[in-house]
């Protein structure tokens, strides 16, 4: 399907199995969108990992969950969150650089703190309530796995990028997601692609294949801002903006 109209605002959920490259691709997609002049809000929806901000070259923002006094309060009040527009988010919860803003839903900081359900609920309500103006994009980095579908996080998003890596687990995950019949555009991306195993991966119908690139790996390992140009990411963003189906 090709609608012939370029999308100019969208909430995009990036999901996939652990370590497949969700955070890396979130940062690269955000940068590709910002380069085109869009205003981009990256939402760190992963309650465990701590380094997404580094990939964007910014400091860690204050966590949105601190708007509430307790876990119980998050469940009770997240539905009434008055953050309807990006500009409504209080400045102290946003860090920004080069046209990209970052907000963080909340992390689990200490042992015994409890499960991540309040953060899941807050992420869902935040995304559902957020209305975008023209030229605004939201890119959501999520925790590993596909539990967000069960928690309704995808409800507040317009499209989903599923990051697959060359593993059997990713093949199973792709099949599981397809079987869910989610009524939103889903873009499968094969990350860390290696030609040598192309034959084994031919059943994974991905919109783009992103090769394993040493430059990306080293940058992430050093906890540095991702500055490399990745043509495949630009192609992916083109496909998403034009709502072409894989
Ligand atoms: N195209 C790529 N080329 C080389 N290395 C990559 C590529 N994509 C991701 N990586 C590396 O894979 C590792 C995992 O990436 P990343 O942290 O983005 O995955 P993730 O899916 O967000 O993980 P988690 O589930 O832990 O949040 C990192 O070391 C990163 O540098
Ligand atoms: Mg991650």
């Amino acid at each position: 399907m090709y609608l012939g109209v370029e999308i100019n605002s969208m909430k995009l959920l990036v999901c996939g199995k652990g370590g497949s490259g969700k955070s890396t691709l979130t940062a690269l997609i955000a940068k590709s969108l910002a380069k085109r002049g869009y205003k981009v809000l990256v939402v760190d929806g992963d309650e465990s990992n701590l380094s997404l901000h580094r990939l964007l070259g910014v400091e860690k923002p204050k966590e949105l969950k601190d708007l509430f006094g307790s876990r119980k309060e998050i469940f009770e009040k997240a539905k009434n969150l008055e953050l309807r527009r990006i500009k409504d988010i209080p400045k102290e919860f946003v860090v920004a650089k080069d046209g990209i803003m970052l907000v963080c839903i909340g992390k689990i900081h200490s042992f015994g703190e409890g499960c991540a359900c309040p953060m899941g609920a807050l992420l869902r309500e935040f995304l559902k309530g957020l209305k975008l103006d023209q030229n605004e994009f939201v890119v959501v980095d999520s925790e590993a796995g596909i539990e967000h579908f069960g928690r309704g996080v995808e409800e507040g998003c317009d499209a989903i990028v599923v990051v697959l890596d060359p593993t059997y687990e990713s093949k199973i995950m792709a099949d599981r997601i397809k079987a869910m019949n989610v009524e939103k555009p889903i873009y499968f991306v094969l990350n860390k692609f290696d030609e040598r195993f192309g034959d084994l991966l031919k059943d994974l119908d991905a919109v783009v294949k992103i090769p394993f690139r040493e430059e990306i790996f080293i940058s992430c390992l050093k906890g540095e801002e991702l500055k490399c140009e990745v043509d495949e990411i630009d192609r992916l963003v083109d496909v998403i903006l034009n709502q072409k189906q894989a």
Side-chain angles (χ1 to χ4, degrees), residues 49 57 214:
N49 291 315
E214 215 171 282

Side-chain angles (χ1 to χ4, degrees), residues 76-210:
E76 288 167 359
K77 298 189 177 162
K79 270 202 169 62
N80 306 318
L81 201 63
E82 289 295 324
L83 304 179
R84 300 286 175 232
R85 302 272 168 195
I86 290 179
K87 61 177 161 44
D88 296 337
I89 307 170
K91 296 271 172 296
E92 72 226 72
F93 295 99
V94 184
V95 289
K97 185 178 177 186
D98 300 338
I100 300 176
M101 291 166 285
L102 172 68
V103 297
C104 174
I105 297 297
K107 304 286 178 191
I108 303 231
H109 292 284
S110 49
F111 176 75
E113 196 179 312
C115 69
C117 297
M119 266 78 93
L122 180 55
L123 176 62
R124 180 184 65 227
E125 298 306 329
F126 173 64
L127 292 173
K128 269 178 26 187
L130 195 64
K131 303 277 175 283
L132 299 183
D133 289 325
Q134 284 205 349
N135 298 324
E136 288 183 343
F137 276 78
V138 170
V139 188
V140 186
D141 183 22
S142 61
E143 66 160 333
I146 48 176
E147 286 69 30
H148 2 284
F149 290 93
R151 291 186 200 150
V153 168
E154 88 293 351
E155 280 172 36
C157 294
D158 306 302
I160 299 161
V161 170
V162 181
V163 186
L164 307 170
D165 61 4
T167 60
Y168 187 69
E169 278 301 333
S170 275
K171 288 188 185 186
I172 298 173
M173 180 173 282
D175 290 341
R176 283 176 67 202
I177 292 176
K178 280 180 200 156
M180 285 176 185
N181 289 319
V182 179
E183 288 177 352
K184 309 223 154 147
I186 298 188
Y187 303 96
F188 290 96
V189 176
L190 179 51
N191 190 27
K192 309 188 205 183
F193 179 64
D194 185 329
E195 288 285 356
R196 289 175 300 167
F197 311 114
D199 250 16
L200 290 170
L201 297 163
K202 63 180 182 318
D203 297 340
L204 283 177
D205 45 349
V207 188
V208 288
K209 293 177 186 144
I210 303 171

Side-chain angles (χ1 to χ4, degrees), residues 18-24 46 49 144 191-192 211-213 217 220:
S20 56
K22 298 175 291 298
S23 302
T24 306
D46 182 343
N49 291 315
N191 190 27
K192 309 188 205 183
F212 181 94
R213 276 183 50 181
F217 183 79
C220 292

